[in-house]
Amino acid sequence: MSDKPFPIPDDVASIEPTDLYDRLDDGETVGVLDTRTPDDVDDWRIDGEGVAFANVPYYEFLDGVPESALEELPAARPLYTVCAKGLSSKFVADVLDEAGVDDVVAVEDGMEGWEQVLASNELSADTDATVVQFYRPSSGCLSYLVVNDGEALVVDPLHAFADEYVAAAEAHGAELVAALDTHVHADHVSGVRTLATEYGVRAVVPNAADARGIEYDIAYDTLADGETVALGDISVEAVHAPGHTSGMTAYLVDDAVVLTGDGLFVESVARPDLEDGAEGAPAAAGQLYDTLQERILTLPDETLVAPGHVSDGAEQADDGSFTDTLGGIAAAMPALDRDRESFVEFVLADMPPRPENYGDIIATNLGQRALDDDTAAELERGPNNCAATTDAMTGR
């Protein structure tokens, strides 16, 4: 036995997290055995429509495979074992294999590897620009690359994936020239400053977000409501859309795609309590109602809504993205038909817990503190809780 609490085999079958995501995205049904402690699993786990899930902590296997553990194993195969860093899951996969359990595969690097998965889909949109949606399945965060005439900008980039956005722009034959945030995020560390510092990309924030007290140590530009960023012959227009935060700003791409940030999702609407807490939530919810009714729902029905986050209740569009037309969302979400008073009451009735460490993340995104990569990853670990409800609001 090594100095570790269990031996780590070298020859156990394994899969890269990106390959596992691709299998799930292709609609395969698989088993997932999470060997972390139940408390860790409660915080976040690999989930999805095709996942048959079980949680049996690794220490249950230290003396072999107990009958109770065998009874809990999902019937679906392959059976993927996953832990925090990819160590105990390999041990468990080896023990199960030795016990005669077939088709057991360990997930390389565990949940730390899973949080490094970034998938992408090109949107089917009525514009000459190319719009790519990036999806981080570990958290539900969405970001966007807009490409036209050899130039590109990225909206709501994640710090952890700055290199990937630059590479994606290059793959589309473009230079990444600007990075824009829709608001001061509370669930992930923004990549706007990272891209500006490391790649010389123009940093842009809404001026309403700047008013919250941004203290960046780099030069940055602001955009007011109605101002635009040009990409060749198309424009990206700032649309002030307060409610989730006072500075929340959507971006209208070529009058065809509205990047709504955390204002309107395909399955829900924004929570209003992250800036001024529960005390300020009723006023913010009323502001959100006004924004949706007067600024977003007045756009043409065929406008494609591309949100900043997605939850388990969202369905993918035919192009694989998490988008829908504005008319489709309006038809599927009864909450948008409510009057102002009942909308506010509805939004405040069942908000999920606030994102973990949201205060520290907000301070980081305001420029008030600096983080190394490991601390940033720890702060933003787990699913986002940016929607007003745990369950989808869609369905009539």
Side-chain angles (χ1 to χ4, degrees), residues 75-162:
R77 293 293 183 274
L79 176 63
Y80 295 107
T81 59
V82 65
C83 61
K85 299 182 179 181
L87 300 178
S88 68
S89 56
K90 287 187 175 181
F91 163 73
V92 172
D94 186 58
V95 170
L96 289 173
D97 181 67
E98 289 292 326
V101 178
D102 66 308
D103 209 0
V104 183
V105 182
V107 179
E108 286 286 353
D109 301 318
M111 294 301 289
E112 287 191 2
W114 184 247
E115 68 186 3
Q116 293 304 310
V117 176
L118 189 69
S120 64
N121 282 286
E122 188 173 319
L123 305 189
S124 298
D126 186 21
T127 173
D128 290 335
T130 297
V131 184
V132 180
Q133 181 186 77
F134 296 92
Y135 168 51
R136 189 184 197 181
S138 66
S139 65
C141 291
L142 301 173
S143 48
Y144 297 89
L145 186 75
V146 183
V147 183
N148 189 60
D149 198 24
E151 293 185 330
L153 61 80
V154 62
V155 175
D156 286 342
L158 283 71
H159 163 78
F161 298 100

Side-chain angles (χ1 to χ4, degrees), residues 224 267 290:
E267 80 286 12
D290 296 339

Side-chain angles (χ1 to χ4, degrees), residues 17 19 40 42 47 54 56 73 86-87 118 202 209 234 243 255 273 286 322 334 342 355 364 366 368 371 377:
D19 294 332
D40 289 336
D42 285 344
D47 206 353
V56 183
L73 296 183
L87 300 178
L118 189 69
R202 175 189 175 198
I234 72 140
D255 293 325
D273 64 329
F322 294 98
S342 66
T364 301
L366 285 171
Q368 297 169 352
L371 300 176

Side-chain angles (χ1 to χ4, degrees), residues 186 189 356-366 369 371 379:
V189 177
E356 288 289 330
N357 301 310
Y358 77 102
D360 289 336
I361 294 175
I362 289 173
T364 301
N365 288 331
L366 285 171
R369 60 175 296 179
L371 300 176
L379 279 178

Side-chain angles (χ1 to χ4, degrees), residues 182-196:
T182 55
H183 64 295
V184 178
H185 294 278
D187 69 305
H188 68 263
V189 177
S190 167
V192 166
R193 282 183 294 163
T194 311
L195 288 163

